[in-house]
Amino acid sequence: MTKRALITGITGQDGMYLAELLHDKGYEVFGLVAGQNNPKADLLAASHPYVDIISGNLLDLVSLIRAVAHARPDEVYNLGAISFVAYSWENARLTSDVTGGGVLNILEAVRFYQDSSGHQVRFYQASSSEMFGKAQDVPQRESTLLWPRSPYGVAKVYGHYMTINYRESYGMHASSGILFNHESPRRGVEFVTRKVSRAVARISLGLQSGVTLGNLDARRDWGFAGDYVQAMWSMLQQDEADDYVISTGHTHSIRDLLTVAFDEIGIDDWSDHVTVDPTYVRPAEVDLLIGDSSKAEAALGWTPTVTFDQLIRMMVRHDVDEQAKLSAGNA
């Protein structure tokens, strides 16, 4: 029989890549979208016409119960969250409610559906490397102490442990992927990688002269979102649920990001194009995140296929094409 999957957060980069992956594997795909007249729903319907869009909200348990009952899923992927870390300091309560409490709500909705239907559901929770925060091990692995340094990170820790609790308390097949930074041309422009790639594209076209950033020395483990959704799916194909770090095992600074991005448009020295503004520095910075995904490689057979250099160049080329078309259309 055809498998059925419900994805929350389907309008984000991960949700869109995951929907494509599942569709290619023959799944019926359902996507939860919050709010009436949501422009993202129209965009999703146009780009992914095979997705059955369901209205619902992670803050509203009743809407989630209805959504799960409608989808009758074999697998649920909870990707929905307020995921921009900087925003979480400005709106800690909302971030905690959606990114943390929303996990509890969707777990409850899945548990209610299982109990009422007798149909077992496999559940994936999108955990985050931001949970490690003030990292106690280098590299970070599944057993590393969690020490979050942002309201977003704290909320993700809550959702992570709640997922473990439902696995241990109710026997749910509930797994968490502790995903390190993963990017793509679909990344929101508020995130530093896309902010840089779009700015660099616009600089190459003469549409702007520079970009303003915060801490250029912060280091991250950056991979390609298209690779990482493959790991999500693989987790739910295992006989036993578990938690896995998903990462490249390589770390790069914002300076490295700038070097590759500007090199793609033929600029060797980017210093004249970059301004540092202290207001963009986090109140509590996470200086070094680098993951050890050897467990995922051994158990899931997963390894990343896109390098950091390839990823950043892919994003810059995409944004050059996009900005050129927008510029031509506005001419």
Side-chain angles (χ1 to χ4, degrees):
M1 293 180 63
T2 302
K3 282 189 175 182
R4 301 161 70 94
L6 172 63
I7 304 171
T8 73
I10 193 169
T11 57
Q13 65 163 3
D14 290 8
M16 297 180 76
Y17 281 114
L18 179 61
E20 291 166 2
L21 174 72
L22 296 176
H23 176 67
D24 289 345
K25 292 182 178 295
Y27 281 64
E28 290 185 46
V29 182
F30 300 80
L32 189 79
V33 176
Q36 293 181 330
N37 301 318
N38 188 325
K40 288 187 175 181
D42 293 335
L43 293 172
L44 177 67
S47 63
H48 295 61
Y50 48 82
V51 173
D52 187 333
I53 299 173
I54 307 172
S55 178
N57 194 305
L58 287 173
L59 296 176
D60 181 1
L61 176 58
V62 173
S63 77
L64 296 179
I65 291 173
R66 290 173 177 161
V68 175
H70 173 80
R72 294 180 286 113
D74 300 289
E75 299 170 2
V76 170
Y77 296 84
N78 184 43
L79 312 184
I82 294 177
S83 57
F84 185 43
V85 177
Y87 178 87
S88 72
W89 276 283
E90 299 174 18
N91 294 274
R93 167 54 65 186
L94 183 60
T95 299
S96 299
D97 289 346
V98 176
T99 306
V103 182
L104 174 59
N105 284 341
I106 189 66
L107 281 166
E108 273 292 274
V110 170
R111 186 169 73 93
F112 178 81
Y113 172 72
Q114 287 191 157
D115 290 348
S116 60
S117 68
H119 183 69
Q120 296 302 302
V121 179
R122 297 190 172 195
F123 179 86
Y124 171 84
Q125 167 58 20
S127 291
S128 168
S129 61
E130 288 288 332
M131 300 188 309
F132 294 122
K134 190 175 181 180
Q136 301 301 292
D137 294 322
V138 178
Q140 293 89 53
R141 50 188 63 86
E142 292 80 8
S143 58
T144 298
L145 176 70
L146 305 181
W147 194 320
R149 297 266 284 171
S150 66
Y152 169 80
V154 173
K156 280 292 187 181
V157 170
Y158 175 87
H160 180 74
Y161 279 125
M162 193 58 72
T163 301
I164 292 173
N165 186 261
Y166 269 60
R167 181 170 72 219
E168 295 178 349
S169 298
Y170 304 113
M172 289 178 61
H173 193 293
S175 296
S176 289
I178 307 172
L179 270 57
F180 279 64
N181 293 63
H182 48 290
E183 317 297 323
S184 76
R186 292 170 170 168
R187 189 54 134 164
V189 295
E190 68 273 23
F191 291 87
V192 67
T193 47
R194 186 74 194 289
K195 181 179 180 179
V196 167
S197 68
R198 189 173 73 161
V200 168
R202 290 176 60 82
I203 290 167
S204 76
L205 297 168
L207 300 174
Q208 70 184 65
S209 60
V211 60
T212 302
L213 301 171
N215 180 10
L216 302 186
D217 296 313
R219 303 185 68 87
R220 295 290 184 273
D221 183 329
W222 277 301
F224 174 51
D227 283 341
Y228 285 37
V229 298
Q230 178 70 45
M232 298 177 190
W233 175 80
S234 295
M235 289 178 209
L236 298 199
Q237 311 317 305
Q238 304 306 303
D239 292 337
E240 300 293 333
D242 207 343
D243 306 318
Y244 299 91
V245 163
I246 303 299
S247 65
T248 70
H250 300 283
T251 183
H252 299 275
S253 69
I254 305 297
R255 294 180 189 277
D256 297 335
L257 165 63
L258 290 164
T259 297
V260 175
F262 275 97
D263 181 72
E264 181 62 23
I265 62 167
I267 295 178
D268 295 329
D269 182 2
W270 46 260
S271 58
D272 290 339
H273 299 281
V274 177
T275 302
V276 174
D277 184 342
T279 61
Y280 285 98
V281 177
R282 294 180 179 186
E285 182 60 87
V286 174
D287 295 315
L288 174 61
L289 290 177
I290 178 171
D292 174 3
S293 55
S294 55
K295 178 179 175 180
E297 181 176 357
L300 309 178
W302 181 87
T303 55
T305 66
V306 177
T307 67
F308 173 76
D309 188 276
Q310 292 169 334
L311 170 65
I312 303 308
R313 293 181 188 278
M314 173 203 309
M315 294 176 67
V316 172
R317 288 194 296 269
H318 169 273
D319 282 337
V320 168
D321 291 342
E322 181 178 80
Q323 292 299 313
K325 290 176 183 177
L326 289 173
S327 180
N330 294 330

